[in-house]
Amino acid sequence: MARRTMSLLPQWSSRVFSVELDGAPLYFGIQEKPRGEVPRLFRDALDGTCYSLLVCNSDRVRGAKFYAELKDKLSRDLHPECVLCPMSCFLPHTKDSLIKGYFLKANSESASLTERLLRGLIQHDPVLVCSYLQRENFWTQYLWPRTGTEMPRKYYVVPSAAPQYHPSTLNIVNSDVFYRFEEAYEVLKKCGDIIPEATSVLELLPSCVESRRKPDFPVIVIEGLDATGKTTLTESLRDTLGAVLLRSPPQCLSPWRARFDQEPPLIRRAFYALGNYITAEQISQEGMKAPVIVDRFWHSTAAYAIATAVSGSPCNLPAESSEVYHWPSDLLKPSLVVLLTLDPEERKRRLRNRGQGKTEEEQELDHNQLFRLRVEKAYQRIHGPACVTVDASPPADQVLQQVLLLIREKCHL
């Protein structure tokens, strides 16, 4: 941890800090001389002291686990009056510079307990702690030393312009979305001693990714949110075309899905990324004998991950030209990807009629319109191959005929 902290300090005053307040990021910077204007975050601050904790573990797997566990610890041990928000700091326009943590607002009743808790953390854990105090018309950041012999470093808090895109976009590649088999494999391999199930997953993986033959028959992927009719359509396509139907994540990962759904994004996304490579191996084998229909594939994995990593409005998503929307170079490419779309109210009605349990992300789709819009926008921006959108509101037989027409046109079936 000490090496990571020291590497930060020469660039410390160049960093921008972001605090998620009510789902929207607020930004501030620091400098060695005061400036008149106070950032909005601190204008709205409670009377008392604010604190920040940044997780600075050089082992990103253990860092991700610690970050998630730290939230539980803070939620449990902090005074009830203390406000806890996600935060990060980053170097503008610098890939992989984002460091995540938490921002605390403590009033006079909660300040002493908060300070004791943070003093205990900094002695043993991979965290960098700052306190923020108001002095006259300025807010001042004090960077805490890790030993009692050092003095805190002092900086003045100043406003900072919002970046063009959400700061999380700096760290999406091979953290929230994986673009090479080896990257996801290495994450789960490092999990072996802390998550025993990771070893079982690794044993299921194909031995070789690059040399896989392209299937002789077309591969058609059907994408869409829950209750847009994917199951009905994929089964109808299987029967009509005499095709093989596969689903992603593959059935062989089912025993471990609930376990990995509890893990932080880095580990959870690596698990689902490797599921795509297992599905690709199945596609490669089955596609030598018949057409293959796939219920969800990489588009779903990427769209949900991007939309979860980036908060707020869809305009916070990476630019349309960003590398995050590029199909992985070592993952089998389908012949056609169909994205089923449906009016949100109709989709909710269908979900109610089904009466089935929903994943946490599907529940978020229902309660958070911005999240749904981000997922939809990410779907639309992924390319190489891109999705062909089909309206799923007509009766199922009409949707089937429309998709069959597309398949005949694009795949010559």
Side-chain angles (χ1 to χ4, degrees), residues 19-280:
V19 177
E20 295 278 340
L21 201 60
D22 299 324
L26 298 177
Y27 300 96
F28 66 92
I30 55 172
Q31 60 184 32
E32 295 183 357
K33 294 183 179 180
R35 204 166 85 204
E37 190 179 353
V38 175
R40 179 187 154 193
L41 173 70
F42 294 93
R43 292 201 304 267
D44 298 340
L46 302 173
D47 293 337
T49 309
C50 298
Y51 304 89
S52 61
L53 298 85
L54 294 166
V55 177
C56 301
N57 197 322
S58 57
D59 182 332
R60 66 184 191 137
V61 171
R62 292 185 179 277
K65 288 282 288 183
F66 177 79
Y67 174 76
E69 292 163 359
L70 180 60
K71 181 180 180 181
D72 293 337
K73 178 177 178 58
L74 293 172
S75 300
R76 182 180 66 248
D77 295 347
L78 285 170
H79 190 283
E81 295 295 321
C82 189
V83 178
L84 175 66
C85 306
M87 80 167 296
S88 61
C89 77
F90 58 96
L91 293 169
H93 313 297
T94 304
K95 186 179 173 183
D96 295 330
S97 66
L98 187 81
I99 299 169
K100 298 171 71 175
Y102 299 100
F103 189 82
L104 315 177
K105 294 181 179 181
N107 60 18
S108 55
E109 291 183 19
S110 58
S112 59
L113 175 61
T114 303
E115 192 116 347
R116 285 199 303 273
L117 178 61
L118 298 185
R119 293 285 178 198
L121 283 174
I122 202 171
Q123 297 302 316
H124 310 289
D125 294 315
V127 292
L128 191 153
V129 176
C130 297
S131 54
Y132 301 82
L133 297 171
Q134 188 173 18
R135 293 288 183 264
E136 298 178 350
N137 295 325
F138 305 111
W139 277 85
T140 307
Q141 179 197 74
Y142 293 92
L143 180 59
W144 289 15
R146 293 191 64 79
T147 67
T149 58
E150 299 176 69
M151 292 293 292
R153 297 196 182 194
K154 175 181 174 181
Y155 300 89
Y156 290 95
V157 175
V158 295
S160 179
Q164 186 175 7
Y165 302 107
H166 194 282
S168 293
T169 62
L170 297 171
N171 282 37
I172 283 178
V173 175
N174 294 323
S175 288
D176 293 287
V177 185
F178 288 85
Y179 298 85
R180 285 195 65 79
F181 174 84
E182 289 82 1
E183 295 283 354
Y185 180 90
E186 281 303 313
V187 169
L188 245 62
K189 185 178 178 182
K190 288 180 179 178
C191 290
D193 59 341
I194 53 177
I195 306 174
E197 294 86 347
T199 303
S200 300
V201 173
L202 294 177
E203 290 171 355
L204 297 173
L205 298 176
S207 57
C208 184
V209 173
E210 299 285 358
S211 62
R212 186 189 298 113
R213 278 186 60 193
K214 184 179 179 181
D216 293 334
F217 287 85
V219 177
I220 297 102
V221 174
I222 307 299
E223 291 281 3
L225 307 182
D226 275 7
T228 52
K230 292 189 307 302
T231 300
T232 300
L233 177 60
T234 53
E235 291 177 352
S236 297
L237 288 171
R238 175 196 60 195
D239 298 341
T240 305
L241 299 173
V244 175
L245 174 57
L246 300 173
R247 290 184 170 85
S248 185
Q251 184 64 31
C252 63
L253 290 186
S254 294
W256 301 289
R257 284 188 67 178
R259 175 69 177 84
F260 281 92
D261 280 345
Q262 299 172 10
E263 294 300 327
L266 175 71
I267 299 169
R268 185 170 71 249
R269 301 305 181 188
F271 170 78
Y272 283 108
L274 292 173
N276 284 324
Y277 288 97
I278 295 173
T279 299

Side-chain angles (χ1 to χ4, degrees), residues 160-407:
S160 179
Q164 186 175 7
Y165 302 107
H166 194 282
S168 293
T169 62
L170 297 171
N171 282 37
I172 283 178
V173 175
N174 294 323
S175 288
D176 293 287
V177 185
F178 288 85
Y179 298 85
R180 285 195 65 79
F181 174 84
E182 289 82 1
E183 295 283 354
Y185 180 90
E186 281 303 313
V187 169
L188 245 62
K189 185 178 178 182
K190 288 180 179 178
C191 290
D193 59 341
I194 53 177
I195 306 174
E197 294 86 347
T199 303
S200 300
V201 173
L202 294 177
E203 290 171 355
L204 297 173
L205 298 176
S207 57
C208 184
V209 173
E210 299 285 358
S211 62
R212 186 189 298 113
R213 278 186 60 193
K214 184 179 179 181
D216 293 334
F217 287 85
V219 177
I220 297 102
V221 174
I222 307 299
E223 291 281 3
L225 307 182
D226 275 7
T228 52
K230 292 189 307 302
T231 300
T232 300
L233 177 60
T234 53
E235 291 177 352
S236 297
L237 288 171
R238 175 196 60 195
D239 298 341
T240 305
L241 299 173
V244 175
L245 174 57
L246 300 173
R247 290 184 170 85
S248 185
Q251 184 64 31
C252 63
L253 290 186
S254 294
W256 301 289
R257 284 188 67 178
R259 175 69 177 84
F260 281 92
D261 280 345
Q262 299 172 10
E263 294 300 327
L266 175 71
I267 299 169
R268 185 170 71 249
R269 301 305 181 188
F271 170 78
Y272 283 108
L274 292 173
N276 284 324
Y277 288 97
I278 295 173
T279 299
E281 182 70 15
Q282 296 173 346
I283 293 171
S284 182
Q285 294 172 6
E286 299 294 343
M288 298 300 172
K289 302 173 287 186
V292 179
I293 309 299
V294 189
D295 186 339
R296 287 187 167 172
F297 198 30
W298 190 79
H299 280 75
S300 288
T301 307
Y304 277 89
I306 294 167
T308 302
V310 177
S311 64
S313 166
C315 68
N316 290 335
L317 290 172
E320 207 161 341
S321 59
S322 171
E323 62 183 325
V324 306
Y325 303 117
H326 293 191
W327 188 272
S329 60
D330 63 354
L331 183 64
L332 184 146
K333 292 185 179 182
S335 315
L336 173 66
V337 182
V338 174
L339 174 63
L340 299 179
T341 61
L342 195 62
D343 175 78
E345 291 307 314
E346 172 61 16
R347 196 182 73 85
K348 287 183 182 180
R349 186 189 67 77
R350 292 185 184 185
L351 279 169
R352 285 195 299 271
N353 290 343
R354 289 199 327 195
Q356 295 177 350
K358 293 179 284 186
T359 65
E360 184 176 332
E361 285 176 337
E362 284 296 334
Q363 291 174 359
E364 182 72 5
L365 283 172
D366 286 350
H367 297 119
N368 188 334
Q369 182 184 18
L370 288 177
F371 178 63
R372 177 177 57 78
L373 292 173
R374 294 196 304 271
V375 172
E376 292 173 348
K377 184 65 72 176
Y379 263 128
Q380 294 162 9
R381 289 183 175 179
I382 294 170
H383 57 85
C387 294
V388 179
T389 301
V390 170
D391 180 10
S393 57
D397 59 336
Q398 292 183 28
V399 175
L400 172 63
Q401 292 306 315
Q402 187 176 351
V403 174
L404 285 171
L405 194 63
L406 272 173
I407 292 172

